[in-house]
Amino acid sequence: EQYDIQARVSDADRAEWQKQGPRLDQKPMLSAMLQTMLADRCHLVAHMTPVTIPGWSLQLGKHAPHVTESKPGEELPVGVKLPDGGVVVPYQPGDKPRLTIYAATVADLAGILSGYAGSPVQDYTGLAGHYDLTVDFIPYPDSKIPVIYRDPNDTDPLARWNLDSLGLRYAPIKIPAQTLVIDHIEKPSEN
């Protein structure tokens, strides 16, 4: 069943709430409020348990990395802003399929590749700067899948990206994580 939640922040908590900024999905205050609401209204009892999940490590290749350091203060092109201040320039249909990012960290690149791979990609390169990076996409041969889209049957999705051109490689790893185990939950009580 699906439910709509309508709530407001108490006057006592409003100042602290406003300090969080716009990314509420990553804020501990919202998480704590949701946990309290679920415990009160749904009698939720849950715990976290450690697990390992499959993922990828982004590593330096056999040779020196081929990355270009961004120039501090340089005006960036229009694009999608990254958490570390960089920009992703969207791929334009008709252009060569590629990922182009400016003033980005290698951790930003790993995050973008995570979205494509459907599993976490973690940066193990040790590269700490901000870089202008271009990674070409290698289309699936004889595929009906549009360029840049992932074939859901692909067991090695990162092979579609020419990371070797940056002097990088990837390897499968097991990543420690936490999973939520629900011990007890009920339908929410009436208002």
Side-chain angles (χ1 to χ4, degrees):
E1 295 179 30
Q2 296 183 1
Y3 298 92
D4 293 328
I5 300 172
Q6 294 182 4
R8 69 178 185 85
V9 178
S10 70
D11 292 338
D13 293 330
R14 185 160 296 137
E16 194 64 31
W17 178 265
Q18 290 171 337
K19 287 180 189 175
Q20 296 182 107
R23 294 293 307 268
L24 297 179
D25 60 321
Q26 298 178 353
K27 302 304 177 189
M29 192 173 188
L30 177 62
S31 177
M33 290 175 163
L34 285 172
Q35 288 175 26
T36 300
M37 184 274 303
L38 289 170
D40 290 348
R41 300 296 298 274
C42 300
H43 306 284
L44 174 68
V45 178
H47 69 277
M48 300 299 285
T49 188
V51 295
T52 57
I53 58 173
W56 305 93
S57 67
L58 191 58
Q59 308 167 0
L60 294 176
K62 293 178 183 175
H63 306 289
H66 309 315
V67 294
T68 304
E69 268 220 58
S70 302
K71 295 177 183 146
E74 185 173 57
E75 188 173 330
L76 299 176
V78 174
V80 178
K81 297 229 183 253
L82 295 168
D84 288 335
V87 170
V88 177
V89 176
Y91 161 74
Q92 299 298 318
D95 290 347
K96 185 174 183 177
R98 62 177 37 153
L99 170 64
T100 306
I101 53 180
Y102 294 91
T105 64
V106 177
D108 289 329
L109 174 62
I112 293 166
L113 293 173
S114 294
Y116 181 81
S119 57
V121 177
Q122 295 185 338
D123 174 18
Y124 284 85
T125 64
L127 298 172
H130 285 75
Y131 305 96
D132 298 339
L133 305 170
T134 300
V135 186
D136 289 330
F137 181 79
I138 304 162
Y140 291 99
D142 303 322
S143 177
K144 304 268 189 258
I145 296 173
V147 173
I148 301 278
Y149 287 90
R150 178 178 172 228
D151 182 337
N153 300 315
D154 190 348
T155 58
D156 190 7
L158 294 182
R160 300 288 101 207
W161 296 98
N162 185 7
L163 295 169
D164 193 46
S165 68
L166 297 176
L168 304 177
R169 64 184 181 91
Y170 64 94
I173 59 171
K174 294 289 185 186
I175 299 172
Q178 295 282 322
T179 189
L180 177 71
V181 176
I182 298 175
D183 300 308
H184 178 82
I185 192 166
E186 298 173 9
K187 287 188 175 191
S189 57
E190 294 290 326
N191 282 338

